[in-house]
Amino acid sequence: MVHAYPETAAEGTCPVCRTPAPPLAFVKNGYPMHRCPTCQLVYSARPPQGEKLEALYSAQYFTDGGAGYPDYIADERTHRRQARSYLRKISKLDAKPGSVLDVGCATGFFLDEARKAGWTVSGCELSEYAQRFAERELGLDVVRAGFLDPHFVPRPESFDLITMFNVLEHVPDPTGVESKLANLVRPGGHLVIETWDPHSLFARMLGPKWPTYAPPTVLYCFTKRTLTHLFDPERWTLVSYRPAAKWISIDHGLSLLEYEARKRPPLARLLRAVRRSWLGRIDVPYCLGDLALVVFRRTSPLAKTVTDGHTQKKSFVAMPQS
């Protein structure tokens, strides 16, 4: 399957705020990484497109470790535990179960837990491996598509909630993502994003060695300032931005460290041995402060006061849609 993707920002400009010529910050995995002085976005100037992007999320991404997962499905218990944690936080938004779209839903464990909680669920997932599991094994309504694929066109304002858990940083054209999200979330509905924060203390301490700097799979890293530039305040209200803890298996966590230590074979072998022991199956909370949970509310129609002679009355003007 070959997809057409929208054009990203012109060469040499920030993909979020269009600041010209953001300076080179460092090179990682052979990819030049730039840091925008205006919105603080850290990004790769050469994001993969089309078939190259799809190839990054083959079955190997979910089963071979490296910058992906050692065995995503084997960690089902962990993913479901984290899904229930997300749902508890979402329930505090005064958001009753309605329609939810999970973007980049992987094998659908969050959607399955949301369905049990009363939500009407659907998802999109670029990986054929993960989408097939969600559809065939869990019976979920999951479209095999990237969020920006032209053939993925849900009805406007059809979702009370859209979730993007560690997905936004992978998707080409962040401004295109914001525009499509604004079209799909109902006024008063919510957008919940989990993403990595390069402005966190842990990320700044490690600099270019921060494991999340992992092009070509991770294309963008967003600070709070970046997200407030990206999500138009006339269309979105920032409800909360806070560091997040996340349940992961020791196997997954050490596989990422093993990938970073691949140039030091003795350390890599030690990490691999621990992963393969019974310790690998234990869940631990990841809480190093570099992961953020961000909630936006889609702005409701604006109330504008219209003067008519000596009287005033309110008319409601819908927010512009992209």
Side-chain angles (χ1 to χ4, degrees):
M1 183 185 297
V2 178
H3 302 302
Y5 291 86
E7 293 295 327
T8 55
E11 184 71 27
T13 64
C14 172
V16 168
C17 69
R18 302 305 192 250
T19 293
L24 178 69
F26 54 89
V27 176
K28 186 73 175 283
N29 299 340
Y31 285 78
M33 301 294 291
H34 297 260
R35 190 185 306 272
C36 178
T38 303
C39 72
Q40 298 181 335
L41 177 72
V42 181
Y43 69 97
S44 167
R46 301 203 308 262
Q49 300 284 334
E51 290 180 319
K52 291 183 179 179
L53 181 65
E54 283 192 35
L56 294 174
Y57 303 104
S58 65
Q60 285 70 35
Y61 180 80
F62 292 90
T63 59
D64 281 2
Y69 298 87
D71 193 334
Y72 193 92
I73 293 173
D75 279 350
E76 177 176 354
R77 184 196 71 250
T78 311
H79 296 307
R80 288 185 180 276
R81 183 177 189 175
Q82 180 59 33
R84 292 190 293 271
S85 176
Y86 290 140
L87 289 166
R88 285 193 294 271
K89 293 173 182 177
I90 289 168
S91 69
K92 295 178 182 178
L93 297 174
D94 194 26
K96 296 179 180 179
S99 56
V100 57
L101 170 69
D102 190 19
V103 179
C105 65
T107 53
F109 296 133
F110 168 78
L111 287 176
D112 197 35
E113 292 295 324
R115 181 170 57 183
K116 294 175 184 177
W119 289 85
T120 301
V121 303
S122 57
C124 64
E125 171 56 48
L126 183 60
S127 166
E128 181 181 11
Y129 169 83
Q131 183 270 341
R132 183 178 298 172
F133 182 93
E135 186 177 62
R136 297 183 181 180
E137 301 299 323
L138 300 181
L140 293 166
D141 176 19
V142 174
V143 177
R144 188 193 167 206
F147 183 62
L148 295 179
D149 285 359
H151 73 275
F152 180 63
V153 190
R155 181 171 53 85
E157 296 186 0
S158 52
F159 298 104
D160 299 293
L161 171 68
I162 293 183
T163 54
M164 301 183 77
F165 301 122
N166 294 118
V167 170
L168 183 61
E169 59 267 27
H170 298 277
V171 185
D173 187 17
T175 56
V177 170
E178 185 276 337
S179 181
K180 191 166 186 175
L181 289 168
N183 189 49
L184 296 182
V185 179
R186 292 181 181 134
H190 291 88
L191 168 66
V192 178
I193 298 169
E194 185 177 72
T195 192
W196 300 97
D197 182 359
H199 198 61
S200 64
L201 176 61
F202 183 62
R204 286 184 283 123
M205 286 174 58
L206 293 184
K209 294 183 179 180
W210 186 41
T212 300
Y213 292 137
T217 52
V218 177
L219 305 172
Y220 309 105
C221 291
F222 304 87
T223 67
K224 182 178 181 180
R225 183 192 295 183
T226 313
L227 292 172
T228 55
H229 273 265
L230 178 60
F231 287 90
D232 187 341
E234 291 189 351
R235 304 201 289 198
W236 303 95
T237 298
L238 179 63
V239 176
S240 66
Y241 181 103
R242 61 188 63 180
K246 181 173 185 173
W247 289 104
I248 64 171
S249 68
I250 287 180
D251 182 33
H252 180 206
L254 293 185
S255 74
L256 296 174
L257 294 178
E258 181 185 334
Y259 179 70
E260 288 296 312
R262 60 194 182 277
K263 294 182 180 179
R264 290 180 284 175
L267 177 57
R269 285 195 295 270
L270 174 62
L271 294 171
R272 191 178 307 118
V274 176
R275 287 178 49 212
R276 291 175 176 174
S277 73
W278 61 272
L279 290 170
R281 299 266 60 87
I282 296 175
D283 293 345
V284 294
Y286 179 93
C287 49
L288 294 177
D290 56 342
L291 189 63
L293 191 68
V294 190
V295 179
F296 287 97
R297 181 182 295 113
R298 184 69 171 91
T299 306
S300 298
L302 288 177
K304 289 189 176 181
T305 302
V306 179
T307 302
D308 181 12
H310 298 288
T311 64
Q312 288 186 331
K313 57 184 179 181
K314 287 186 176 182
S315 64
F316 290 87
V317 182
M319 296 305 299
Q321 300 286 335
S322 295

